[in-house]
């Protein structure tokens, strides 16, 4: 996918970079100076307690929330002050899975998945678009009958998988995935984890995955970043996460109630 | 703070809020209209919305029009009887329906039906991050959601009101012939004699404007809905109230423009 990247960006510059990113909602100071880099073709998994701002972190990179301070660079280009319209070409290179799925409930599942191919610049013939959508749905374990239904008629886990199929549809260079396995059974979790890993390994995409699920962490991650109290308190290769003595990281990975991370937040 | 200052502050705050709201709505409306004239258009969305806003409003609007025409005929007959002027019933019913009651009451009914539904729909889409998802799919939500609804409102409302006009006059005719003792031929001839294109055209122009008001109010409140089910509910209420008030106000302005001398 290297032919897509803009010529001005140096090939070894990070694909996604948060620099001292700050975000607050009123008195709620969620992100307090995030510094994080994700290299090209790397799969970064962000972990952290519930409500620490992982989804907010993702949305700042997508431009859905405006950071109050700091910079965000994608492919070497400042994106935090881009207008909505200026962001669209960038969005064409991305696939996003929202935590809640965010399928359009007025459209059938396959129409959701084929959304980009049914309108706008990437428009294709109806039959071709549908065929491609059904194929993507098959890869996330959904059959042709599910494709014909409306999102409200699917279970939560099926919606999540359909949303992942939509995120993968345009063969994105950059994949943002918010809790891909929440609400899935262990077998389906395994399928989805391997699918995300496959996308990164095969197409060389850069991925940022948010998860609470340690099996996702082990399958998907090249790099792990842990968010706590508005900061990245630990980051490093996944192999080191298991041996690093950082008390927050140890507590999180062991799932203990006692430790530096308060259970009541 | 002194009591006087506190009083002034209490007075000023809602006024400022109102001005800010009017400003925001105007910007929103401007953005929506601008997207009507520049491609890309989402035609499939337009057809779906035209069906939903126009076609499915036919029963409510028709029902309203028939009974309004009927009641109007009765009132004018009784009022006219005081001056021995019962013969004005057909022409006054016609003028009243075509100029004012058809468009205004029709629009108010559609406002209740459509503004609330649009606000709830878009508000729920916002809450469930579907609007964000549109953006990540390189689709402008204003273009994909608002523009087709606005176009559908502007184009289907005049057709809807044309039906309402006919049914309203028909309601008056029924009462006139069945209850008030008019000869069917005489009633129809009086109606035709009083007919003026300007009455119909002004009503249809009003209808188009009301169509814009209804859909813009619905979309605006949907996009600005608060979080959660409560926020969506409040957005729906505000949309209906806002649309109804704005319909009545613009109706007066348009009437002045068309008929004020
Ligand atoms: N649009 C918003 N307006 C106001 N506050 C918000 C908004 N979005 C998120 N927050 C606040 O930001 C904080 C972080 O939320 P976020 O959704 O990022 O958590 P999270 O780490 O993704 O948690 P989880 O793992 O449960 O999904 C929360 O305290 C939340 O209340
Ligand atoms: Mg989250």
């Amino acid at each position: 996918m290297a032919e897509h990247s803009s010529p001005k960006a140096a090939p070894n510059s990070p694909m996604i970079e948060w620099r001292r990113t700050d975000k607050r909602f009123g008195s709620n100071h969620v992100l307090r100076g995030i510094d994080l880099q994700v290299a090209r073709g790397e799969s970064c998994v962000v972990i952290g307690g519930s409500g620490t701002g992982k989804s907010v972190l993702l949305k700042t990179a997508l431009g859905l929330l405006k950071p109050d301070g700091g910079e965000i660079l994608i492919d070497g280009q400042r994106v935090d002050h881009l207008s909505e319209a200026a962001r669209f070409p960038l969005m064409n290179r991305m696939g996003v899975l929202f935590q809640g799925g965010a399928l359009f409930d007025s459209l059938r599942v396959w129409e959701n998945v084929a959304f980009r191919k049914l309108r706008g610049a990437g428009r294709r013939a109806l039959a071709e678009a549908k065929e491609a959508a059904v194929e993507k749905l098959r890869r996330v374990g959904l059959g042709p009958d599910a494709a014909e239904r409306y999102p409200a008629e699917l279970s939560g886990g099926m919606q999540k998988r359909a949303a992942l199929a939509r995120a993968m549809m345009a063969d994105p260079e950059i994949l943002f995935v918010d809790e891909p396995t929440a609400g899935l059974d262990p077998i389906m979790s395994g399928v989805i984890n391997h699918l995300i890993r496959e996308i990164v390994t095969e197409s060389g995409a850069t991925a940022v995955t948010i998860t609470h699920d340690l099996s996702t962490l082990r399958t998907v991650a090249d790099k792990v970043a842990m968010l706590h109290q508005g900061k990245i308190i630990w980051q490093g290769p996944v192999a080191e996460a298991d041996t690093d003595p950082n008390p927050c990281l140890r507590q999180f990975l062991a799932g203990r109630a006692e430790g530096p991370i308060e259970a009541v937040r | 703070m002194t009591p006087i200052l506190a009083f002034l502050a209490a007075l000023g705050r809602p006024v400022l809020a109102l001005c800010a709201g009017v400003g925001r709505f105007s910007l929103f409306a401007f953005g929506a209209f601008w997207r009507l004239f520049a491609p890309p258009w989402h035609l499939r969305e337009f057809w779906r919305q035209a069906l939903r806003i126009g076609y499915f409003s036919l029963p409510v609007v028709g029902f309203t029009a028939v009974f309004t025409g009927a009641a109007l005929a009765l009132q004018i007959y009784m009022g006219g009887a005081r001056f021995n002027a019962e013969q004005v019933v057909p022409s006054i019913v016609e003028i009243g329906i075509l100029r004012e009651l058809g468009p205004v009451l029709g629009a108010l009914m559609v406002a209740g039906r459509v503004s609330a539904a649009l606000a709830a729909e878009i508000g729920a889409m916002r809450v469930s991050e579907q609007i964000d998802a549109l953006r990540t799919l390189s689709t402008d939500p204003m273009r994909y959601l608002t523009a087709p609804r606005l176009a559908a409102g502007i184009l289907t409302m005049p057709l809807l009101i044309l039906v309402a006009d006919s049914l309203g006059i028909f309601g008056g005719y029924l009462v006139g012939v069945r209850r008030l003792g008019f000869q069917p031929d005489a009633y129809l001839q009086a109606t035709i004699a009083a007919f003026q294109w300007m009455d119909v055209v002004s009503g249809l122009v009003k209808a188009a404007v009301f169509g814009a008001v209804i859909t813009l109010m619905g979309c605006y409140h949907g996009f600005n809905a608060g979080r959660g089910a409560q926020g969506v509910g409040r957005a729906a209420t505000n949309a209906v109230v806002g649309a109804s008030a704005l319909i009545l106000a613009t109706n007066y302005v348009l009437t002045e423009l068309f008929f004020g001398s």
Side-chain angles (χ1 to χ4, degrees):
Chain A
M1 297 251 158
E3 69 270 21
H4 286 290
S5 37
S6 68
K8 62 177 183 279
N12 53 357
S13 72
M15 191 60 150
I16 311 162
E17 184 173 5
W18 285 268
R19 286 186 188 158
R20 299 180 308 285
T21 305
D22 227 60
K23 179 70 193 173
R24 54 169 79 224
F25 298 100
S27 62
N28 185 5
H29 201 163
V30 180
L31 303 182
R32 305 167 183 237
I34 298 286
D35 281 300
L36 181 62
Q37 300 186 343
V38 184
R40 268 158 224 283
E42 186 177 46
S43 169
C44 177
V45 168
V46 179
I47 56 175
S50 181
T52 47
K54 303 183 297 296
S55 299
V56 170
L57 179 72
L58 207 100
K59 286 181 186 171
T60 55
L62 293 168
L64 300 171
L65 290 171
K66 222 174 175 45
D68 299 313
E71 300 173 359
I72 295 166
L73 290 89
I74 290 182
D75 204 1
Q77 183 194 2
R78 275 284 293 274
V79 295
D80 45 288
H81 49 50
L82 285 184
S83 75
E84 194 175 305
R87 209 178 282 276
F88 286 161
L90 199 61
M91 290 294 190
N92 281 334
R93 301 163 54 193
M94 297 188 189
V96 185
L97 170 66
F98 285 85
Q99 188 168 3
L103 293 171
F104 305 122
D105 37 32
S106 60
L107 301 178
R108 289 175 195 283
V109 169
W110 76 264
E111 290 173 316
N112 263 283
V113 176
F115 192 88
R116 280 186 201 274
K117 292 204 188 307
L118 291 176
R119 63 210 92 219
R123 187 168 180 153
R124 297 282 179 285
L126 195 72
E128 187 190 331
K130 183 164 182 176
E131 199 179 319
V134 169
E135 166 59 21
K136 290 287 182 204
L137 283 166
R138 197 188 55 74
R139 290 196 69 184
V140 297
L142 291 172
D145 54 321
E148 288 299 333
R149 287 195 252 163
Y150 285 94
E153 298 164 2
L154 300 186
S155 78
M158 291 164 89
Q159 289 181 17
K160 204 66 188 263
R161 286 184 278 149
L164 182 63
R166 183 175 71 183
M168 298 170 4
M169 187 63 183
D171 299 321
E173 278 175 75
I174 308 173
L175 199 58
F176 288 103
V177 185
D178 198 343
E179 307 216 357
T181 58
L184 299 189
D185 64 70
I187 298 172
M188 208 31 95
S189 294
V191 171
I192 297 301
N193 290 336
H194 282 104
L195 183 60
I196 297 173
R197 185 66 241 181
E198 220 176 284
I199 294 170
V200 174
T201 321
E202 279 176 11
S203 71
T206 309
V208 178
T209 308
I210 291 174
T211 194
H212 290 142
D213 184 345
L214 297 184
S215 71
T216 304
L217 180 76
R218 305 209 190 287
T219 320
V220 173
D222 295 321
K223 171 181 181 167
V224 180
M226 179 159 182
L227 186 63
H228 181 54
Q229 292 181 338
K231 291 216 161 68
I232 300 291
I233 55 156
W234 191 87
Q235 53 178 306
V238 63
E240 287 174 23
D242 283 323
T243 52
D244 197 276
N246 183 303
C248 288
L249 189 66
R250 290 270 62 81
Q251 186 194 352
F252 193 88
L253 294 183
R256 284 192 306 267
E258 307 84 33
I261 305 177
E262 304 264 331
V264 178
R265 268 168 265 145
Chain B
M1 212 190 299
T2 64
I4 297 178
L5 269 181
F7 174 73
L8 287 179
L11 213 63
R13 216 170 290 125
V15 173
L16 280 181
L18 184 72
C19 292
V22 169
R24 268 200 307 271
F25 180 72
S26 309
L27 280 179
F28 182 87
F30 181 80
F33 273 106
W34 179 76
R35 283 169 177 81
L36 286 186
F37 296 105
W41 294 292
H42 293 280
L43 286 181
R44 252 168 60 101
E45 262 308 282
F46 168 76
W47 286 116
R48 281 171 33 142
Q49 298 305 326
L51 207 65
R52 168 185 180 197
I53 296 171
Y55 184 71
F56 290 115
S57 296
L58 268 174
V60 214
V61 170
F63 189 82
T64 311
V66 171
F67 284 99
T68 305
L72 190 62
L74 272 182
Q75 289 287 13
I76 291 167
Y77 184 81
M78 291 184 286
R82 295 182 200 159
F83 315 102
N84 290 323
E86 295 91 337
Q87 295 314 314
V88 299
V89 169
S91 54
I92 304 278
V93 165
E94 181 170 24
I95 291 175
I97 291 286
L98 292 185
R99 286 191 182 183
E100 295 291 333
L101 294 175
V104 173
L105 290 183
L108 288 177
M109 294 308 284
V110 178
R113 216 185 79 86
V114 170
S115 294
L118 292 184
E121 179 193 27
I122 294 179
M125 287 184 76
R126 211 178 93 93
V127 170
S128 57
E129 298 180 322
Q130 292 176 49
I131 308 258
D132 285 344
L134 275 177
R135 295 203 172 96
T136 65
L137 292 166
S138 312
T139 305
D140 175 8
M142 279 293 273
R143 199 178 277 293
Y144 180 70
L145 295 173
T146 311
R149 285 163 176 74
L150 175 60
I154 294 175
L155 295 177
T156 59
M157 268 304 275
L159 298 177
L160 210 52
I161 295 309
L162 211 54
V163 176
D165 286 349
S166 323
L167 286 175
I169 291 171
F170 176 68
Y173 167 84
L174 277 186
V175 168
V177 170
R178 294 283 165 90
R179 281 270 287 110
L180 307 175
F182 280 87
Q183 290 300 317
D185 294 356
Y187 192 102
L188 282 181
Q189 262 159 26
T191 301
I192 291 165
F195 180 84
Q196 288 196 341
W197 278 109
M198 183 59 185
D199 295 340
V200 180
V201 170
S202 71
L204 297 188
V205 171
K206 281 181 177 182
V209 174
F210 297 158
V213 167
I214 288 165
T215 46
L216 283 175
M217 272 290 175
C219 294
Y220 172 78
H221 284 286
F223 273 107
N224 291 291
R227 309 231 133 222
Q230 236 183 1
V232 174
R234 195 166 311 125
T237 311
N238 289 344
V240 178
V241 173
S244 306
L246 200 53
I247 284 169
L248 294 172
T250 46
N251 177 55
Y252 173 72
V253 173
L254 290 174
T255 303
E256 276 284 5
L257 284 179
F258 279 120
F259 302 105
S261 47

